[in-house]
Amino acid sequence: MKTTACPLDCYDACAVVVDPESLKMAGVPNHPFTQGTLCPHLNRHIREAERIRSPRIDGREVTMEEALEAVAEAIEAAGEDFLLYRGSGNVGYMQRITEAFVAARGGWTTDGSLCDGAGQAGVEEGRGISLALPPESIAEADAVIVWGRNVSVTNSHMMKLLEGKTLIVVDPVRTKIAKMADLHMQIRPRSDFQLAVLLARFMYMEEMADETFLEEKCEDAEDYYHFLRSFRVVEALETCDITLDDLGDMLYQMLHKKCVFLVGTGVQKNSIGDQVLHAIDGLAAVMGFFGKPGCGVSFLADSMAGFEDPIPMSPKRVAKPVAPFGRFKTVLVQGANPLAQMPGLAKVEEEMEKVENLIYFGLYENETSRKARIVLPAKDFLEKEDLRLSYGHPWVQPMPKIKEAEFGIGEYELTKFLFERFGYDGLKEERAYIDAMLDQCKKDGEWYRSPAYEKHPYEEGFETDSGNFEFLEEFEDDYEEEEGLWLVTPKSPRSLNSQFVRESHVRLHPRHGFSDGERVRIVSEHGEVELPVETTEDLREDCVLVYAGTPGVNYLTPPMKSLFGKSACYQEVKVTLEKIS
Ligand SMILES: Nc1nc2c(c(=O)[nH]1)N[C@H]1C(S)=C(S)[C@@H](COP(=O)(O)OP(=O)(O)OC[C@H]3O[C@@H](n4cnc5c(=O)[nH]c(N)nc54)[C@H](O)[C@@H]3O)O[C@H]1N2
Ligand SMILES: Nc1nc2c(c(=O)[nH]1)N[C@H]1C(S)=C(S)[C@@H](COP(=O)(O)OP(=O)(O)OC[C@H]3O[C@@H](n4cnc5c(=O)[nH]c(N)nc54)[C@H](O)[C@@H]3O)O[C@H]1N2
Ligand code: SF4
Ligand SMILES: [Mo]
């Protein structure tokens, strides 16, 4: 048996044992977080997904040598107009090795994110660095506030840590976990900032603020109280679509308890996502909930925090959610499906049309592979060396090669080929990068931990200029709300973004008068899509739910980036419904 880790983009980063003969996989029973179980993505979906086996040029199957030569020629012909666009199909550390070639070549890559960039920017504003909250700390909490994170679907190994605790869920959708909660705040989408500000203000009024923490660990705390008071209570309650009693219920459930906030991407798929996270962190700071057992805010942590990255990166970047593909002659797409997953899809398609050489490097066929001039099949995670960092917990896990590949090429091999083909020096042995990362980790028995690990994160202070927690000072929001219904696009239990079994329906409240199976046209100012209906009363009436990964959903979403963090804003959009006659 060999031990590795799940490569999929998921909070849990499960430890996996694999039988090298049968390739049967199981969870590692004594892993401190994932404790022995795997989800259907790794148990089943990954095995059932059909791999791309042969390289192609212009739709014609070719040998790997021919394909690699075509890739090299396309990069050569592009000069500096070459873009590497990486996604998160596999979140292993070695995925980024191709960036070393781009740096050597003087080409372009991306910064920002389709995912958590806005939230991370907000966390870093307040705390300086975004650290994972260790599960042992979460275990000690009395109450857990699950805020825009669909724990039972996207973070399933967290479920057992919630047992026996007061559970509050803040989500416009009555999710499975909302149904289990002591309190479900079914707020209006995009009103999380207002809720965080209201709660913080009432914490002061109820004398639940931690004066010592505010004085010793925070910068300009008095100013924050004034800032909080600049928002009118009645207006904020209206924005959230809750009553003063609802707010009182939430405060009551948190009263004199150690609280952990599990915040997900749901709160920050908009232009003000940084400020939402900054305000939730601000609430936690008012309550003194950093650096102590059983307290804290867990967002998607920066898995590279504390590491010095041995892989060089190109300084030339375009913002990922609005990548101007049309500027580039050659675009190498790796581990991604931008022609489904990027916001403002009509614009993305238009830009991609202008690219002379679109190269797709991945495991599966998808919208992007179908448009690519050159297709390179990748090796999967069992067929190459890697290292799994995590945004959900502090452990770092080696991923040894378990089997030989029958086809495809690994990211390191592709990089090595390109370095040699272009006559560049400086690429080290693959092992050197992995060891350089592992050498920086803290050892904990048989497990490695991130160098930034702290049992009670921020106990020693914050990584801001002042060393203290720094509050939000100004609220900036230029979104003008239109008429229509909010588009909500959470993650599906069956797909992993656009990998595996993709959803095909739109979920609507029955009040809109559509029946199950009927097709409806969903229209936004950016585009439209037609989907069959599934009705559910778990939604607010003012919401339309289309799961992320559903083909066509991103025709509806805006081609823009957040105010800070260069992040996609999938949910800053209203839609209308049209009957199809
Ligand atoms: N099964 C499965 N697991 C996954 C993924 C997958 O595709 N499938 N994707 C992985 C990836 S890439 C990521 S980034 C993570 C993300 O995982 P999560 O952080 O859980 O993100 P989402 O599922 O997008 O949204 C979480 C919740 O936010 C709610 N929500 C939507 N809008 C709002 C709002 O305005 N306010 C509040 N408070 N809540 C809102 C949604 O209803 C949903 O229940 O999941 C990872 N895990
Ligand atoms: N409407 C809407 N859209 C969204 C979101 C949303 O909430 N709403 N969420 C966004 C988020 S959070 C994310 S993270 C993005 C994800 O979007 P992308 O990063 O584009 O990821 P996937 O759609 O999962 O595509 C991953 C591809 O990676 C390839 N792959 C898998 N493993 C490997 C490997 O080892 N090597 C190589 N070379 N390729 C591999 C597979 O072929 C797969 O098709 O989607 C974003 N899109
Ligand atoms: S829960 Fe997440 S990390 Fe664990 S096996 Fe499933 S997809 Fe992989
Ligand atoms: Mo993501």
Side-chain angles (χ1 to χ4, degrees):
M1 293 300 232
K2 285 193 166 178
T3 303
T4 183
C6 176
L8 298 173
D9 188 347
C10 170
Y11 289 98
D12 294 359
C14 289
V16 183
V17 277
V18 191
D19 179 338
E21 298 303 313
S22 68
L23 299 179
K24 254 188 104 63
M25 294 188 244
V28 176
N30 65 336
H31 185 269
F33 181 59
T34 59
Q35 298 183 356
T37 53
L38 302 177
C39 82
H41 291 315
L42 206 63
N43 274 336
R44 201 173 64 236
H45 298 154
I46 213 166
R47 243 194 351 258
E48 290 171 357
E50 200 175 319
R51 299 263 301 271
I52 303 177
R53 303 176 73 93
S54 307
R56 297 196 299 267
I57 302 175
D58 294 321
R60 187 171 50 85
E61 285 190 10
V62 296
T63 62
M64 186 57 87
E65 289 67 37
E66 289 171 297
L68 289 175
E69 186 49 34
V71 168
E73 280 168 18
I75 293 172
E76 203 155 39
E80 288 188 7
D81 296 332
F82 164 54
L83 172 72
L84 169 68
Y85 176 100
R86 294 197 301 115
S88 60
N90 173 333
V91 293
Y93 170 74
M94 286 306 289
Q95 285 290 312
R96 61 167 71 205
I97 192 66
T98 42
E99 305 254 357
F101 170 73
V102 182
R105 176 83 190 141
W108 292 76
T109 173
T110 62
D111 63 2
S113 157
L114 300 188
C115 181
D116 59 349
Q120 182 170 328
V123 168
E124 288 172 352
E125 281 289 308
R127 310 185 216 160
I129 186 174
S130 177
L131 298 179
L133 189 61
E136 61 267 28
S137 198
I138 300 171
E140 289 184 62
D142 305 313
V144 175
I145 297 102
V146 172
W147 200 325
R149 186 189 297 190
N150 195 5
V151 176
S152 70
V153 170
T154 60
N155 185 200
S156 55
H157 292 80
M158 187 65 83
M159 291 299 282
K160 63 185 173 306
L161 273 176
L162 307 183
E163 285 167 15
K165 304 188 194 312
T166 301
L167 179 61
I168 304 169
V169 171
V170 184
D171 200 307
V173 183
R174 190 141 49 95
T175 55
K176 182 170 158 200
I177 189 169
K179 290 175 190 165
M180 297 165 46
D182 296 284
L183 181 68
H184 176 204
M185 303 288 284
Q186 196 168 11
I187 61 169
R188 203 194 305 275
R190 208 184 181 280
S191 67
D192 302 273
F193 176 84
Q194 280 76 10
L195 181 60
V197 158
L198 281 171
L199 286 166
R201 178 167 177 180
F202 278 78
M203 289 297 166
Y204 277 104
M205 286 161 60
E206 299 295 323
E207 294 183 352
M208 282 163 69
D210 184 336
E211 297 297 344
T212 317
F213 185 87
L214 285 168
E215 200 164 299
E216 292 175 0
K217 306 271 185 165
C218 300
E219 206 63 9
D220 302 327
E222 322 76 62
D223 294 347
Y224 196 54
Y225 185 53
H226 293 296
F227 171 78
L228 294 172
R229 288 186 37 182
S230 69
F231 298 90
R232 294 192 36 216
V233 174
V234 178
E235 244 171 61
L237 288 169
E238 260 169 32
T239 304
C240 300
D241 193 21
I242 58 172
T243 64
L244 201 52
D245 281 350
D246 296 330
L247 191 71
D249 286 347
M250 185 157 171
L251 286 164
Y252 176 76
Q253 294 285 1
M254 294 166 69
L255 203 62
H256 307 306
K257 289 179 185 162
K258 286 183 287 181
C259 299
V260 156
F261 298 81
L262 300 180
V263 186
T265 58
V267 303
Q268 53 93 70
K269 297 178 195 182
N270 52 51
S271 58
I272 55 165
D274 66 306
Q275 298 169 81
V276 174
L277 257 297
H278 206 169
I280 295 174
D281 272 4
L283 165 64
V286 167
M287 299 177 79
F289 282 169
F290 285 106
K292 298 173 190 165
C295 301
V297 182
S298 155
F299 182 60
L300 294 84
D302 175 3
S303 61
M304 286 298 287
F307 281 105
E308 208 172 297
D309 190 354
I311 297 179
M313 299 272 162
S314 168
K316 286 153 67 179
R317 307 288 180 114
V318 294
K320 193 170 183 186
V322 288
F325 295 112
R327 259 174 48 192
F328 298 95
K329 191 171 170 131
T330 298
V331 175
L332 170 57
V333 170
Q334 172 191 327
N337 185 11
L339 285 169
Q341 294 304 100
M342 280 180 64
L345 204 50
K347 179 98 188 288
V348 178
E349 287 177 341
E350 195 187 300
E351 286 284 311
M352 213 56 123
E353 271 308 312
K354 299 181 205 154
V355 176
E356 205 167 298
N357 304 298
L358 173 60
I359 307 167
Y360 172 82
F361 177 32
L363 290 183
Y364 314 123
E365 299 291 358
N366 57 31
E367 286 87 338
T368 310
S369 72
R370 287 193 281 275
K371 283 275 179 212
R373 191 171 92 69
I374 306 173
V375 174
L376 279 183
K379 287 184 179 173
D380 83 1
F381 78 108
L382 298 173
E383 300 165 342
K384 56 199 177 197
E385 290 274 320
D386 213 331
L387 189 69
R388 179 65 156 91
L389 315 179
S390 167
Y391 58 78
H393 60 62
W395 285 279
V396 173
Q397 304 171 78
M399 298 173 70
K401 181 161 119 182
I402 309 263
K403 76 184 223 329
E404 290 302 328
E406 291 164 26
F407 53 86
I409 184 166
E411 287 67 24
Y412 180 80
E413 290 166 294
L414 174 62
T415 308
K416 191 159 188 260
F417 164 81
L418 291 170
F419 264 79
E420 283 169 7
R421 172 68 170 65
F422 284 84
Y424 298 152
D425 296 323
L427 185 72
K428 299 178 197 155
E429 288 301 312
E430 183 166 32
R431 201 57 239 174
Y433 297 102
I434 296 173
D435 288 343
M437 289 294 284
L438 279 176
D439 286 348
Q440 299 178 62
C441 292
K442 297 178 178 165
K443 210 59 212 267
D444 168 33
E446 65 188 285
W447 307 104
Y448 293 92
R449 276 190 175 129
S450 145
Y453 169 81
E454 283 181 74
K455 182 161 187 205
H456 306 305
Y458 313 103
E459 196 168 10
E460 308 293 325
F462 296 90
E463 297 281 324
T464 52
D465 290 343
S466 64
N468 287 332
F469 182 85
E470 295 185 0
F471 287 105
L472 183 64
E473 290 169 0
E474 233 180 302
F475 179 57
E476 188 184 343
D477 184 4
D478 50 20
Y479 174 60
E480 281 175 37
E481 198 175 322
E482 316 126 48
E483 288 289 304
L485 306 165
W486 288 105
L487 177 66
V488 181
T489 70
K491 306 297 182 183
S492 144
R494 304 191 303 160
S495 77
L496 206 293
N497 299 311
S498 77
Q499 301 191 81
F500 313 136
V501 189
R502 292 165 73 177
E503 304 274 349
S504 54
H505 287 66
V506 52
R507 269 79 180 168
L508 298 178
H509 194 279
R511 209 207 57 122
H512 295 292
F514 293 91
S515 44
D516 288 314
E518 183 179 352
R519 286 183 76 81
V520 59
R521 185 177 304 119
I522 313 158
V523 181
S524 81
E525 65 171 298
H526 313 288
E528 56 181 65
V529 60
E530 289 180 14
L531 296 172
V533 171
E534 223 173 82
T535 54
T536 168
E537 292 191 5
D538 293 337
L539 275 181
R540 289 171 54 95
E541 286 180 20
D542 60 357
C543 293
V544 166
L545 188 153
V546 184
Y547 283 110
T550 305
V553 60
N554 280 320
Y555 288 116
L556 302 170
T557 55
M560 62 181 277
K561 61 181 196 298
S562 55
L563 288 173
F564 294 92
K566 300 181 184 168
S567 210
C569 305
Y570 296 103
Q571 296 192 174
E572 191 148 289
V573 63
K574 290 281 192 83
V575 297
T576 52
L577 304 172
E578 291 175 6
K579 286 234 175 239
I580 301 172
S581 44

